[in-house]
Amino acid sequence: MKDILVLADGEAVSRAAADLVQRACRAAVEARGVFSVALAGGSTPRGLYSLLATDPAFRDSIPWDRVEFFWGDERHVPPDHRDSNYRMAHEAMLSRVPVRPERVHRVPSEQPDPAVAASLYEAELRRTLGDDRGVPRLDLILLGLGPDGHTASLFPGTQALSERRRVYAANRVDSLATDRITATFPLLNAARQVVFVVAGAEKAPAVRSILAPDPDTPVLPARLVRPEGGTLHWVLDRAAAGQLTGDGVRAGGE
Ligand code: 6PG
């Protein structure tokens, strides 16, 4: 199932995404006693994380000690580096709410070899979710979208796009001259829910290519995120949705 929600601006996008996180968390804790979530990196989610940690409607209703935190991807930098996705989420949210430290599973991105980091991280995910053979099923995965249609660190033309066995992989991104550690499509598409949080006019062409492609539109990485037994949410601001027609699109509250 796919749900496309368009909101007025970035603040409304954060609030709508926070609502989805809160609902998914409470449903998971009620059903299984724990909520497993993979956080998105980049800059867009910072507002969402800050809202979850500071707005009493979310801060006081989320059972923070029941949440297992993972990341959808990480840069190959130490956790205190300014580019670290862990550092961003820690500053915006995790340092401000009563999480259980042993349930904050950051990618060991200080590992010199990103492939070792990815392998260690996959093992930690499997150990935590108790799924050492199949594809682990996270309750919710938050994702962003790059203007080139990448998501997590699954960039166009990169090796990890074709990974079908591992759920985390090292990925060389030549366009950025950097290495990343990223969730792969098997993990993304096994999730109970996937929520794309996207804002800004610079994302509009990629959003259109993914949500309203022409027959000959090249398949961008984010278009391959289709959680088979789960729900796919796109939470967009008007600017990012600027090239979509009204078909199948819900307008969020003003
Ligand atoms: C990362 C993210 C990446 C991000 C997009 C959008 O590590 O950078 O995982 O996929 O979500 O690049 O980034 P912005 O939110 O900064 O536009």
Side-chain angles (χ1 to χ4, degrees), residues 8-75:
D9 55 27
E11 158 72 21
V13 163
S14 293
R15 189 159 294 279
D19 187 59
L20 286 169
V21 170
Q22 181 187 53
R23 290 167 190 269
C25 177
R26 286 161 72 164
V29 168
E30 198 169 307
R32 292 174 295 279
V34 69
F35 174 58
S36 57
V37 59
L39 300 178
S43 57
T44 305
R46 186 186 287 272
L48 162 59
Y49 300 157
S50 180
L51 193 62
L52 287 167
T54 58
D55 184 316
F58 303 110
R59 183 196 61 211
D60 300 343
S61 66
I62 288 173
W64 295 101
D65 63 335
R66 301 291 192 88
V67 183
E68 297 279 6
F69 292 94
F70 296 91
W71 275 258
D73 72 320
E74 187 55 277
R75 288 81 181 276

Side-chain angles (χ1 to χ4, degrees), residues 40-45 73 75 85 143-146 150-153 180 203:
S43 57
T44 305
D73 72 320
R75 288 81 181 276
N85 288 335
L143 291 173
L145 178 72
H150 81 260
T151 191
S153 284
R180 295 282 186 95
K203 310 291 175 77

Side-chain angles (χ1 to χ4, degrees), residues 165-211:
R165 193 170 50 82
R166 294 182 183 87
V167 294
Y168 277 97
N171 201 25
R172 179 69 192 170
V173 185
D174 287 333
S175 59
L176 300 176
T178 187
D179 290 305
R180 295 282 186 95
I181 297 102
T182 185
T184 60
F185 287 119
L187 186 68
L188 301 183
N189 288 331
R192 288 188 173 85
Q193 293 193 63
V194 175
V195 179
F196 277 93
V197 184
V198 186
E202 74 279 9
K203 310 291 175 77
V207 166
R208 182 176 184 282
S209 297
I210 293 157
L211 295 179

